[in-house]
Amino acid sequence: MERMAWNRPIVGMIWLAVCLAGAYAAMNYDFKPGRLAAPLASWPADLSGLDSAMQLERPQKLTVIAFLHPRCACSNATVKQLVKTLEVHPVPEIIVSVYTPLDAADKAAWEQSDSVKRVLEKLPAARVIADRDGVLASRFGAFTSGTLLVYDSKGEEIFRGGITDRRGGEEDNTGLRQFAQAISKEVRVQTEMSPVFGCLLVAGGSS
Amino acid sequence: MSTSRSETIFRSDLAKIEVRTDRMFLWLLIAQWIGAVLVALIWSPRTWIASRWSIHQHVIAATVLGGLFAVYPILLILKQPGSRYTRHMVAIGQMLQSALLVHVSGGRIETHFHVFGSLALISFYRDWRVLITASVVVALDHLALAFWFPLAAFGVPVVSLWRPIEHAFWVVFEDIFLIMSCNYGIRDLRTIAERQVKVEDMAHTLQRTNETLEDKVRERTEELRGVNESLKAYAQQKEAINKELDDFTYIVSHDLKEPLRSIDAFSKFVVDDYGGQLSQEGKDMLSRVRANVQRAQQLIEDLLRVSRLSREANQLCDVSIRQLIEEEVKPRFEYIMKEKNVEIMLGKELPTLKADKTRLAEVFANLISNAIKYGNKPSCRIEIGCEQENGHYHFSVRDNGPGIEPKYFEKIFQIFQRLGRQEDHEGTGVGLTIVKKVVEMHNGRIWLESELGQGTTFHFTIQRV
């Protein structure tokens, strides 16, 4: 008969407890969404101080604006979800705001990342804007990569949030379904903003 | 006793399997740890805050959590391989590794197969209890995820309790077959152990039988050696007696010759000098005395011939049998061959061999003489042939005479034994005895085949030198 040292189960339980605590912490991080500002009452009026390349007119037609950090691993999931949905429900105006550091020596590498290339490959009509230091994202209250905004033809915001269920998640989720409804029916169906999972576009947001 | 031994063997074999499986998990846990870190580094190496980056949480989770999940089972494997506690902890660690892999891969559905693969690997222990432990970990993991992070496992923000139960069902489904496999494995191990005991028992019995057999062989060999020694001694004794007998025969025969010669001579003097004074009956009686004396002299002469064979050894030389018969044997019968119309046929394969030429001539002369003497056909036909067999020459002398009854086959080789009445055929009955002795002196043997009315064939062999 095998004899067990009295302290072995205690050591095992401690080990298991530490493992579970670590796992919980890791999962918690994965499912903790980034910071998201409240919906804007109207189109941001103060875009005058920005470069001409970042100037955006109040939309006259259904418009989707996607804010992406080109080096965030989670951006790929957002782009895949976005492309997949837009192939089913096309919209007339797609704007992709790509975070680019103001002092970046290799701006082209930032602006033409894999996620941006994927958007342009699948959605050639999309307009890509280099967002210098995340100023544009800041004006629109989109602090986290993967934030999508949808404006109707009157320039009213009808969707704000993410379309992935977690960092890098590509499954079906509430945010994705609300986004699809917003662009297909041009109405606001969100009762609350869907969470966004990704890297921060503006320093000071929660990661 | 056998049951206890088979149980010991079974335990030993099972312990080896447990230790071997522990070792497999040692390397697997290390490889998975490294693999999880690599996957995290490839899929999400960094996290960004605007233009600043830091190591992604997934890399940290894979490194720290992966190490945490693996290190305790690894330590147990190294310190206490084969223990029940170790394999239960290994099962927990392995299932946590599965959970981690699913986590760092971003919840890819494909990585969930790692859970099922892990259960199959855990079944290598052939301990269904360990499978239960692993399955409980999976079930609790899914239950916890359903409660705190439903999106992670189920892809929806809120799930009912039935979803983790559904997931657990598939694990139980696999467990049923794995547990069956474990039990079959245990049963097979027991069967193997029982068979091993039987084989060992048989080997033991065989060894004992061999030892007994070896003893018996040794005993018999000793007996045979003793018998052999006795036979040798007997042969030597027999040889000595034979020699004494030969010497005795020679001396007696030699000494008897002289008085017989005197009897014959004086009988002749009586007939020559006093024949006129004797009646006819007296003359006849003296004539019979002389005839019997001459026959006694012939018998003694033949005895001496036989005795001389043993006493005198001639040199072996190359002898052409054909030449021997043609030049030395046939001339002896020239006259009688014409008289009795005798034909001697020589086979094509008559060899040249090393032998005692004079005595071999005696052999053929005696056999031919007998064939002629007893021949009862208008023409007598004698065929002499030879075949070479393993290590010796096989001669045959066939005649077309009256044949010999089987009851005489052995008797005719004895000295002074003859077929038929003495009056019908001359001779003392020593010829075939001489033939047999000469053949045996050449390490051969002689025998005959015969059928009444069909003739007789004498066979004899001569060893090749």
Side-chain angles (χ1 to χ4, degrees):
Chain A
M1 201 60 185
E2 209 174 294
R3 289 186 65 189
M4 196 187 294
W6 64 270
N7 56 345
R8 277 204 317 199
I10 295 174
V11 175
M13 286 176 75
I14 292 170
W15 166 70
L16 193 56
V18 174
C19 287
L20 293 175
Y24 180 82
M27 297 299 277
N28 202 34
Y29 165 78
D30 253 17
F31 289 93
K32 185 180 176 186
R35 181 183 165 200
L36 191 64
L40 299 179
S42 60
W43 183 259
D46 189 14
L47 296 175
S48 56
L50 304 180
D51 289 348
S52 58
M54 289 192 282
Q55 290 296 331
L56 291 176
E57 295 299 323
R58 185 185 178 92
Q60 303 288 317
K61 49 191 173 186
L62 183 65
T63 301
V64 172
I65 307 176
F67 293 90
L68 298 176
H69 192 294
R71 295 191 173 173
C72 177
C74 311
S75 294
N76 283 329
T78 298
V79 168
K80 281 182 189 171
Q81 301 279 59
L82 178 64
V83 167
K84 194 167 63 180
T85 312
L86 291 178
E87 279 174 350
V88 180
H89 306 293
V91 296
E93 185 76 22
I94 303 161
I95 298 166
V96 180
S97 170
V98 179
Y99 172 84
T100 311
L102 192 61
D103 55 350
D106 52 346
K107 285 178 184 170
W110 281 81
E111 290 166 13
Q112 292 171 18
S113 66
D114 286 346
S115 51
V116 175
K117 281 179 186 169
R118 184 181 291 272
V119 172
L120 290 174
E121 184 189 325
K122 297 284 182 182
L123 307 166
R127 177 186 167 194
V128 176
I129 296 174
D131 180 9
R132 304 294 178 207
D133 262 354
V135 174
L136 192 62
S138 183
R139 297 286 168 89
F140 278 90
F143 303 113
T144 308
S145 175
T147 302
L148 297 182
L149 304 179
V150 179
Y151 289 90
D152 64 11
S153 52
K154 295 172 191 164
E156 296 297 327
E157 186 180 295
I158 56 174
F159 178 85
R160 171 177 287 259
I163 53 174
T164 60
D165 54 6
R166 57 182 153 149
R167 291 174 191 273
E170 293 176 22
E171 295 85 4
D172 183 29
N173 61 78
T174 308
L176 183 65
R177 285 194 294 274
Q178 290 174 342
F179 171 72
Q181 282 184 314
I183 59 174
S184 60
K185 297 177 180 171
E186 216 172 312
V187 290
R188 170 179 283 279
V189 291
Q190 276 184 319
T191 53
E192 58 182 27
M193 292 175 295
S194 55
V196 184
F197 299 94
C199 300
L200 291 178
L201 297 168
V202 180
S206 169
S207 60
Chain B
M1 187 64 80
S2 291
T3 311
S4 156
R5 268 177 56 221
S6 69
E7 186 65 18
T8 307
I9 292 168
F10 163 72
R11 293 275 167 216
S12 165
D13 288 350
L14 187 60
K16 281 178 194 163
I17 288 172
E18 288 164 355
V19 170
R20 194 173 62 203
T21 310
D22 274 344
R23 286 210 194 94
M24 179 192 76
F25 272 109
L26 172 71
W27 295 110
L28 186 64
L29 287 165
I30 292 170
Q32 286 173 152
W33 184 5
I34 295 168
V37 173
L38 287 176
V39 167
L41 281 172
I42 291 166
W43 286 357
S44 51
R46 297 172 183 177
T47 187
W48 292 81
I49 299 173
S51 59
R52 286 182 292 110
W53 65 268
S54 58
I55 299 290
H56 198 284
Q57 290 290 334
H58 280 179
V59 178
I60 295 167
T63 308
V64 177
L65 273 183
L68 192 61
F69 293 168
V71 74
Y72 187 53
I74 287 172
L75 283 175
L76 285 171
I77 290 169
L78 291 174
K79 287 186 75 176
Q80 295 163 343
S83 88
R84 184 182 298 166
Y85 180 74
T86 298
R87 54 183 178 271
H88 280 278
M89 290 301 113
V90 165
I92 294 172
Q94 179 63 20
M95 300 326 288
L96 289 175
Q97 290 276 5
S98 288
L100 178 64
L101 187 67
V102 171
H103 173 67
V104 296
S105 70
R108 287 171 66 87
I109 193 71
E110 290 84 353
T111 50
H112 282 76
F113 287 110
H114 190 272
V115 173
F116 296 103
S118 295
L119 287 171
L121 290 175
I122 287 166
S123 75
F124 284 15
Y125 280 119
R126 302 193 188 184
D127 184 350
W128 62 269
R129 296 171 195 84
V130 182
L131 275 172
I132 300 297
T133 299
S135 302
V136 166
V137 171
V138 176
L140 289 177
D141 174 46
H142 276 70
L143 207 60
L145 288 175
F147 188 72
W148 283 301
F149 307 104
L151 277 168
F154 306 99
V156 289
V158 179
V159 292
S160 75
L161 189 63
W162 289 109
R163 290 302 302 279
I165 291 174
E166 184 189 346
H167 281 219
F169 165 79
W170 291 109
V171 172
V172 171
F173 179 74
E174 188 188 4
D175 279 346
I176 290 169
F177 298 103
L178 292 177
I179 288 169
M180 282 169 68
S181 168
C182 285
N183 289 336
Y184 287 147
I186 291 290
R187 200 175 61 188
D188 289 348
L189 268 184
R190 281 193 193 282
T191 308
I192 289 167
E194 284 163 9
R195 282 183 187 160
Q196 190 177 333
V197 168
K198 280 182 187 167
V199 168
E200 283 175 359
D201 284 347
M202 283 168 69
H204 189 59
T205 309
L206 201 63
Q207 192 182 349
R208 276 189 306 186
T209 309
N210 275 344
E211 284 169 4
T212 311
L213 201 64
E214 278 174 12
D215 288 344
K216 279 187 179 170
V217 167
R218 210 172 290 123
E219 201 176 302
R220 291 275 182 246
T221 307
E222 284 302 317
E223 280 177 19
L224 283 173
R225 195 171 288 137
V227 170
N228 203 23
E229 291 298 323
S230 302
L231 282 174
K232 270 185 188 171
Y234 175 72
Q236 283 171 355
Q237 195 180 0
K238 192 181 166 192
E239 197 176 337
I241 291 169
N242 279 343
K243 191 169 182 310
E244 278 179 20
L245 195 62
D246 282 344
D247 291 346
F248 173 75
T249 306
Y250 181 78
I251 292 162
V252 168
S253 305
H254 193 267
D255 291 352
L256 275 176
K257 276 171 79 177
E258 189 51 38
L260 282 173
R261 201 177 294 123
S262 299
I263 294 168
D264 188 39
F266 283 112
S267 299
K268 190 173 179 298
F269 293 154
V270 170
V271 171
D272 290 346
D273 296 346
Y274 304 100
Q277 300 171 30
L278 291 173
S279 64
Q280 188 56 43
E281 190 181 4
K283 285 178 187 174
D284 288 345
M285 288 173 80
L286 271 176
S287 176
R288 282 187 196 175
V289 168
R290 284 202 67 200
N292 279 299
V293 166
Q294 281 165 4
R295 176 160 173 72
Q297 281 178 323
Q298 185 59 49
L299 285 170
I300 288 167
E301 191 57 42
D302 286 346
L303 256 180
L304 282 171
R305 277 172 66 201
V306 173
S307 176
R308 229 175 266 128
L309 284 173
S310 307
R311 295 167 61 82
E312 298 166 4
N314 292 340
Q315 286 291 320
L316 300 184
C317 61
D318 287 333
V319 180
S320 162
I321 300 299
R322 182 178 298 280
Q323 198 176 353
L324 181 77
I325 295 170
E326 293 286 1
E327 294 177 3
E328 301 200 15
V329 179
K330 266 187 175 180
R332 301 186 196 179
F333 305 100
E334 205 168 342
Y335 173 76
I336 199 164
M337 280 175 69
K338 281 179 187 169
E339 187 184 302
K340 295 188 80 170
N341 194 19
V342 176
E343 187 183 7
I344 298 176
M345 313 284 289
L346 301 182
K348 289 181 182 174
E349 303 298 327
L350 292 179
T352 296
L353 50 83
K354 274 210 179 300
D356 182 334
K357 188 176 177 182
T358 309
R359 287 174 178 164
L360 204 53
E362 284 292 304
V363 169
F364 285 106
N366 274 303
L367 293 174
I368 290 169
S369 166
N370 281 348
I372 294 170
K373 196 178 350 179
Y374 292 97
N376 59 351
K377 301 280 184 341
S379 65
C380 177
R381 184 181 171 85
I382 301 167
E383 295 171 22
I384 300 173
C386 180
E387 289 176 6
Q388 292 197 26
E389 293 175 356
N390 291 337
H392 59 260
Y393 299 97
H394 177 180
F395 289 95
S396 60
V397 179
R398 174 198 295 269
D399 65 46
N400 60 346
I404 301 169
E405 287 183 69
K407 63 181 179 183
Y408 298 118
F409 281 8
E410 291 295 329
K411 199 176 176 185
I412 58 172
F413 292 108
Q414 293 172 8
I415 194 165
F416 303 137
Q417 296 294 326
R418 20 181 313 133
L419 297 174
R421 297 184 306 166
Q422 190 180 332
E423 299 82 58
D424 296 339
H425 306 289
E426 62 179 14
T428 58
V430 80
L432 286 175
T433 306
I434 290 172
V435 167
K436 188 167 186 277
K437 268 209 152 184
V438 172
V439 168
E440 286 173 353
M441 286 169 72
H442 286 85
N443 295 317
R445 67 188 187 94
I446 185 166
W447 70 100
L448 66 107
E449 293 173 336
S450 183
E451 199 175 329
L452 285 175
Q454 300 297 317
T456 302
T457 305
F458 281 88
H459 298 274
F460 65 92
T461 60
I462 301 288
Q463 190 183 36
R464 291 179 68 173
V465 179

